[in-house]
Amino acid sequence: MEITLVLLIILVGLVFDFTNGFHDAANAIATSISTRALTPRIALAMAAVMNFAGAFLGTEVAKTVGSGIIGAPQGSSGLTLVLCALVGAIAWNVFTWWKGLPTSSSQALIGALVGAALAASGTVYWSGVVDKVILPMILSPLVGVALGYTLHLVILWAFRKASPRRTTRRFRMAQTVSASAMALGHGLQDAQKTMGVIVLALVTAGWQDDFSVPLWVIAAVAAAMAAGTYSGGRRIITTLGRRITHLDPPRGFAAETSAATVLYITAFVLKAPISTTQTITAAILGAGATRRASAVRWGVARTIVAAWILTFPGAGLPAAALYLLIHALTGL
């Protein structure tokens, strides 16, 4: 039974990572597509390659997710908990993709883990949830807004005397670099969360003693995310690239560069699992607001923020309900 559950968790974990890829593909490339810096097909291919590469850059976030959020019971009960969490996170990802809402796959996964753990009477490390998840996820969008706004003001000042047409052309080319950096950061951050869950299952089953991430886990997760990214999440690309605010190449470059900076700092320095979706959305808001406050469609922004708030319970409640149902039917 435990072997079956572990294999099922690995499979479902890779499915979650695939949904993370197509759900969050917009994070890296929506701005580049909307400014016509890249065509959709080239942008998706570039993002998939950079996502794959980013997954190999570190495992500290994976260790945080695997060991610092919940303590799963040993054996089949703990494995069932992890499986239900993955299903709850996938369900939320698919629902919000269908609605075209750029919500956080990271928050969905962590909310589902906490919901399933509470249902299973498992241990929730609330200090870790607050310090490593809640606070970084609150602060990262605020920093993203500030950086996006500030960087675009610097660009406006630095190129105030340059030809607008030449400036636009140069930043359209520069967006290839900034979009690549954003896609690399997305792979660095989001792939590690699935790695952490798979390693949690391996430790729960007693297949390994620590939370180090095996190379085969990194490779499998990287491939699943790259495949999902290449399949593309065009509904969310439209929301991020066009519905929040009008973006030109300088604003797109400012948003992508700011968001990528936040992703790298939180992954390498803070070792915190933050939301790439929230970070790039906030950076887009900041860069768009330099034109004027009314240039941002605040109604769309409010809908997105409401979806962010609902993500924890939206993924946690189904995960908890599924665990209770399976436990009632099977005793696991």
Side-chain angles (χ1 to χ4, degrees):
M1 175 63 73
E2 286 190 1
I3 293 175
T4 301
L5 283 172
V6 170
L7 294 177
L8 188 58
I9 286 169
I10 293 171
L11 176 62
V12 176
L14 295 179
V15 171
F16 168 77
D17 212 46
F18 182 88
T19 67
N20 185 308
F22 77 71
H23 188 280
D24 290 3
N27 293 346
I29 60 175
T31 55
S32 296
I33 292 174
S34 67
T35 61
R36 295 183 175 86
L38 297 169
T39 64
R41 180 171 296 182
I42 292 175
L44 286 169
M46 178 274 295
V49 171
M50 299 306 287
N51 275 184
F52 184 86
F56 288 87
L57 294 183
T59 59
E60 293 303 321
V61 172
K63 292 175 183 177
T64 297
V65 173
S67 62
I69 307 300
I70 67 167
Q74 291 294 309
S76 298
S77 178
L79 293 172
T80 302
L81 182 163
V82 176
L83 179 61
C84 292
L86 286 169
V87 173
I90 290 171
W92 183 254
N93 268 358
V94 172
F95 172 74
T96 51
W97 165 82
W98 178 58
K99 291 292 186 181
L101 293 172
T103 56
S104 168
S105 296
S106 308
Q107 281 191 357
L109 181 59
I110 292 168
L113 283 170
V114 171
L118 292 175
S121 299
T123 302
V124 177
Y125 303 129
W126 290 111
S127 61
V129 172
V130 172
D131 294 342
K132 290 293 187 179
V133 180
I134 302 297
L135 289 178
M137 283 187 176
I138 290 173
L139 293 175
S140 59
L142 297 178
V143 174
V145 168
L147 280 180
Y149 184 87
T150 303
L151 181 54
H152 189 248
L153 285 182
V154 171
I155 290 171
L156 289 174
W157 182 84
F159 291 88
R160 65 191 185 280
K161 296 181 181 179
S163 165
R165 181 175 296 179
R166 181 177 297 178
T167 300
T168 297
R169 185 170 62 250
R170 287 175 176 174
F171 275 99
R172 189 169 281 135
M173 295 172 62
Q175 272 198 274
T176 303
V177 177
S178 61
S180 297
M182 182 66 202
L184 191 71
H186 176 232
L188 169 67
Q189 266 283 348
D190 280 29
Q192 289 194 59
K193 294 149 192 171
T194 306
M195 295 178 203
V197 172
I198 291 176
V199 169
L200 174 61
L202 297 177
V203 172
T204 300
W207 290 17
Q208 67 179 58
D209 297 326
D210 59 18
F211 287 88
S212 60
V213 184
L215 181 60
W216 68 266
V217 173
I218 298 174
V221 168
M225 172 169 283
T229 297
Y230 187 69
S231 70
R234 287 175 174 79
R235 292 172 182 264
I236 299 173
I237 287 172
T238 299
T239 299
L240 274 182
R242 298 174 183 172
R243 290 182 58 199
I244 295 176
T245 186
H246 171 74
L247 290 173
D248 54 19
R251 285 183 174 83
F253 175 83
E256 290 167 343
T257 303
S258 300
T261 300
V262 175
L263 293 180
Y264 294 139
I265 290 173
T266 51
F268 290 124
V269 179
L270 301 180
K271 303 172 185 177
I274 67 162
S275 167
T276 56
T277 306
Q278 290 181 356
T279 305
I280 186 60
T281 304
I284 289 171
L285 288 171
T290 57
R291 180 181 287 112
R292 60 185 184 279
S294 60
V296 176
R297 297 183 179 93
W298 295 107
V300 175
R302 282 193 296 270
T303 301
I304 292 171
V305 171
W308 291 353
I309 294 171
L310 292 173
T311 294
F312 256 76
L317 290 175
L322 181 60
Y323 178 86
L324 293 174
L325 176 63
I326 292 175
H327 182 68
L329 294 175
T330 66
L332 292 177

